[in-house]
Amino acid sequence: MTPGDSPQRPGVLMVGNFLSRHGANPSVGEDLAHRLRELRWDVITTSHRRLRPWRLADMVITTLRRHRRYDVAQVDVFSGPAFRWAEAVTACLRVVGKPVIFTLHGGELPAFARRHPQRVKALLRHAAAVTAPSPYLADALRPWREDLLLLPNPLELERYPFRPRGPSQKSLRPRVVWLRAFHRTYRPELAPQAIAPLVADYPELQLEMIGPDKGDGSLQATEAKARELGVQDNLRIVPGVPKSEVPQRLAAADLFLNTTDADNTPVSILEALACGLCIVSTNAGGLPKLLSDGEDALLAPVGDAEALSAALRRLLEDPGLATRLSAAGRTKVEAFDWNRVLPRWQQLLRAAAQAGPKRSLVSDSLSGDSP
C-alpha cells in the first residue's frame, strides 16, 4: 500500500455531494472528511460541482486521475439519477483496482431497489463493505446485500445545548419548530394545519418553519394554507439558516414537528433530540425504527394533520409526558456522537484498504454497537 502515509491512515477518496461552498449545509460526508483530515488522514473529495453533469464528470475524472493518491474509496449511494454516479465511479474503481465502501442514503432508496433489483444487486456486490445510517435502510436493503453495517449519521453533541422540556403551556408561549426543505416530500403544508386547532387555546403559539425553498410550490402552498386557516400570524418562515445556527434555533423551541411522507434517519430529528425537544412526527419510512412512540417521541400516520395536532396537544397539556420524552430522546441520541462513530469509520477504512478490492471484509469485529 503506497498512497497513504501510514497503514494506520490510508489515503481515502470520498465521493458524494460536497456543496457547502455553494451555500448548502455540509453533508455527513463533508464532516467525516474534515474530521479525518484533522487526524492527518490524506482525503480527496469529489465533487463540489453544482451542476449534476459536471459533478458526475468531476467524480469520474478524479477517481481515475488521482488513483495513486488513495488506497480506498467511500462512495455515497442515492436513489434516482444519482444512482448512476455510484455506478460510474464503481466502474472506474474496478479499472484502477481500488476497494470501495458504499454508504446508503435516502428514504426512497428501498423503493428504488425494488424497481431496479438487478442494478442495485450488481452495484452492491462490488463493495468491500456497505454501510447504512439507519436500521430501516439496513433492513430494507439486505435482500440485495446481507452483510450491511449500521453506521449512524453522527452529531457533535457538545454543540447542542440540552434543556429538559416539560412545559405547562397555558402560561407560556408554546414554540414549535419545523426544520426541513420546502418540498412536497416533506409535506410542509401539514404544519399550519397541525397548529390551527391549537391556536384558540394557545393564541401566542408560534410555529417557526426553517428550510430552503426547493421551488416546487410547497412554500407558497404552506403560506396559502396558513392564510386559509387564519394562523398566518402564528407562522414564521425562515428560508434556511447556516448549520452553525441550528443548535441555537432548536434550543429556543419546545416542540419539534416533522410532517414528512418519506424519510430515513433525518439529521434534523437527531439534532432536536440532542437539544431535548419533544418530537411529534409522522411514522414515515425509517422513523418508527429511529423513534419509539410514547417513549422518546409521539408518532402519527403519514398525512394525518389531525393526529399531528392531537400529539402536539398531548405534549402541551401533559408536562410529565413531555419531560419523559425529552430525557429519553437525549439518552437515545448519545449513541450518535462523533466520539463513538468516528473510530468505527477509521477501523472500517483501514480494514478495507488492507483487504484490497477482491473481498468483503464485514465481520462482527467491525459491526460495533447499534445506535
Side-chain angles (χ1 to χ4, degrees):
M1 183 177 66
T2 57
D5 65 347
S6 164
Q8 296 301 308
R9 293 189 297 274
V12 181
L13 171 70
M14 298 185 65
V15 181
N17 293 320
F18 294 85
L19 303 176
S20 60
R21 67 176 65 183
H22 302 297
N25 283 326
S27 65
V28 174
E30 285 191 83
D31 204 356
L32 175 59
H34 172 71
R35 290 171 186 276
L36 290 173
R37 284 169 176 151
E38 285 188 328
L39 295 173
R40 296 181 55 210
W41 287 56
D42 186 10
V43 180
I44 302 166
T45 59
T46 180
S47 171
H48 66 272
R49 303 291 182 181
R50 186 187 301 223
L51 297 179
R52 288 185 174 182
W54 291 111
R55 209 178 313 165
L56 173 58
D58 187 40
M59 290 173 177
V60 168
I61 291 170
T62 301
T63 301
L64 293 172
R65 285 187 176 175
R66 307 183 74 178
H67 71 275
R68 292 185 177 86
R69 272 199 55 198
Y70 62 88
D71 305 287
V72 59
Q74 180 271 323
V75 178
D76 288 340
V77 178
F78 295 89
S79 60
F83 191 81
R84 298 192 188 101
W85 305 348
E87 291 175 313
V89 169
T90 300
C92 297
L93 290 168
R94 295 181 69 192
V95 169
V96 298
K98 301 292 183 178
V100 60
I101 298 168
F102 291 131
T103 300
L104 307 178
H105 291 280
E108 298 290 344
L109 190 56
F112 179 87
R114 290 191 293 270
R115 293 194 303 270
H116 306 282
Q118 297 306 316
R119 288 177 65 190
V120 172
K121 184 175 182 179
L123 179 73
L124 298 188
R125 68 185 175 88
H126 291 301
V130 180
T131 73
S134 69
Y136 167 67
L137 272 187
D139 292 345
L141 272 293
R142 279 204 174 95
W144 292 272
R145 175 78 184 232
E146 292 184 356
D147 57 352
L148 287 170
L149 279 172
L150 184 59
L151 270 174
N153 290 331
L155 296 176
E156 189 176 357
L157 283 186
E158 64 183 22
R159 295 184 56 241
Y160 296 87
F162 173 69
R163 174 170 61 86
R165 269 50 171 196
S168 58
Q169 251 61 348
K170 288 287 186 182
S171 60
L172 296 175
R173 181 188 182 196
R175 293 157 297 179
V176 183
V177 65
W178 180 99
L179 179 62
R180 299 306 291 259
F182 283 91
H183 185 272
R184 63 177 63 91
T185 297
Y186 305 121
R187 295 291 297 275
E189 74 280 1
L190 288 178
Q193 294 179 62
I195 69 161
L198 306 175
V199 169
D201 294 325
Y202 303 97
E204 294 195 50
L205 183 149
Q206 288 293 311
L207 168 64
E208 183 172 76
M209 300 185 70
I210 305 170
D213 179 10
K214 292 300 184 179
D216 67 349
S218 295
L219 175 58
Q220 293 74 21
T222 301
E223 293 173 324
K225 182 60 69 174
R227 290 192 296 269
E228 175 189 333
L229 297 172
V231 295
Q232 65 272 19
D233 292 339
N234 301 87
L235 173 64
R236 182 187 181 202
I237 292 178
V238 180
V241 299
K243 190 72 171 175
S244 60
E245 293 183 15
V246 168
Q248 288 69 40
R249 293 276 184 171
L250 293 174
D254 303 300
L255 308 174
F256 185 92
L257 179 61
N258 187 46
T259 55
T260 185
D261 273 357
D263 231 325
N264 176 23
T265 306
V267 172
S268 58
I269 291 278
L270 301 179
E271 292 174 317
L273 291 171
C275 288
L277 273 73
C278 298
I279 309 294
V280 171
S281 175
T282 60
N283 59 2
L287 289 168
K289 291 183 178 290
L290 172 66
L291 303 169
S292 300
D293 186 35
E295 296 181 15
D296 48 45
L298 295 182
L299 301 180
V302 170
D304 193 336
E306 291 185 8
L308 291 168
S309 182
L312 290 171
R313 185 179 291 277
R314 280 185 67 190
L315 290 166
L316 293 173
E317 297 180 354
D318 187 344
L321 173 64
T323 299
R324 291 194 299 275
L325 265 59
S326 174
R330 174 68 186 202
T331 298
K332 171 172 280 188
V333 83
E334 287 173 357
F336 294 78
D337 189 29
W338 267 113
N339 289 333
R340 297 192 184 187
V341 178
L342 183 58
R344 295 177 59 197
W345 267 113
Q346 293 175 277
Q347 181 187 12
L348 182 59
L349 291 165
R350 291 187 192 108
Q354 292 167 3
K358 298 297 185 183
R359 50 176 284 210
S360 171
L361 54 85
V362 175
S363 67
D364 291 340
S365 65
L366 288 172
S367 60
D369 297 327
S370 297

